[in-house]
Amino acid sequence: MKSNPKTPSDSSVEMREMVMPNHTNPQNTVFGGTVMSWIDVAAAMVAARHCGRPVVTAHIDDIDFIAPIKMGYHVLIQASLNYVGRTSMIVGVKVTSENPYTGESRTTTKAYLTFVALDDLGRPVEVPSLSPVSEDEKRRFENAKKRVSMKKTVRDSLRQKS
Ligand SMILES: CC(C)(COP(=O)(O)OP(=O)(O)OC[C@H]1O[C@@H](n2cnc3c(N)ncnc32)[C@H](O)[C@@H]1OP(=O)(O)O)[C@@H](O)C(=O)NCCC(=O)NCCS
């Protein structure tokens, strides 16, 4: 039996990083794998906060690198739960770079990740339902639901052809 529904703000996470030389590529901007690691950590914290269980990353969807992030810039990673299935949770993450000297900021990366909650034996376990409250949360919920359904259609069609 599912427990009471939770809202996206019950589990949302904000993390900050400062771009150091060990985060960068030969162009002196952040290495894509570093951004992916920050995204995965923030999103995993959201999923674990929602279900109160250990979680694993099952899938990373639609990661868009929109703009590079320069050395010395500050990075804001905002993650919140968009949708839940029976045992899976879809987390949306937005990364923003901030010039610490001018305050100028821009969105640099967006991604959607699917996590699965695990029981004490490492098997998928049911998660609490999600109740979106704000208009943005409701829009993200509906969009994620469409994405899940589209992915299932593609998967089924590929399975039939193979
Ligand atoms: C994720 C994992 C637990 C799923 O196990 P499974 O035996 O396939 O479980 P199920 O088929 O019952 O699927 C469980 C849920 O995961 C979802 N799921 C599984 N694989 C998925 C994928 N590739 N993309 C999206 N959702 C997926 C299913 O749709 C189902 O969701 P629902 O319960 O909300 O309907 C298993 O594949 C695993 O352990 N993968 C490795 C995880 C890992 O090591 N991650 C990296 C480090 S954290």
Side-chain angles (χ1 to χ4, degrees), residues 98-131:
E98 293 173 352
N99 179 328
Y101 313 115
T102 65
E104 185 196 352
S105 71
R106 84 174 282 192
T107 301
T108 64
T109 321
K110 284 184 178 175
Y112 300 95
L113 299 87
T114 305
F115 291 84
V116 176
L118 301 179
D119 69 11
D120 294 343
L121 297 174
R123 296 173 308 202
V125 64
E126 202 166 343
V127 298
S129 52
L130 181 69
S131 184

Side-chain angles (χ1 to χ4, degrees), residues 14 31 42 45 85:
E14 275 196 14
F31 175 58
M45 288 197 280

Side-chain angles (χ1 to χ4, degrees), residues 40-98:
D40 196 23
V41 169
M45 288 197 280
V46 168
R49 278 160 62 86
H50 178 76
C51 66
R53 302 281 330 161
V55 298
V56 284
T57 316
H59 187 80
I60 300 185
D61 238 5
D62 287 347
I63 182 155
D64 288 316
F65 293 98
I66 300 157
I69 311 174
K70 293 183 184 162
M71 171 110 92
Y73 274 34
H74 294 184
V75 184
L76 172 64
I77 303 124
Q78 295 170 296
S80 62
L81 193 59
N82 288 357
Y83 185 76
V84 301
R86 198 181 76 81
T87 66
S88 64
M89 296 158 280
I90 298 184
V91 180
V93 184
K94 182 169 93 168
V95 180
T96 307
S97 72
E98 293 173 352

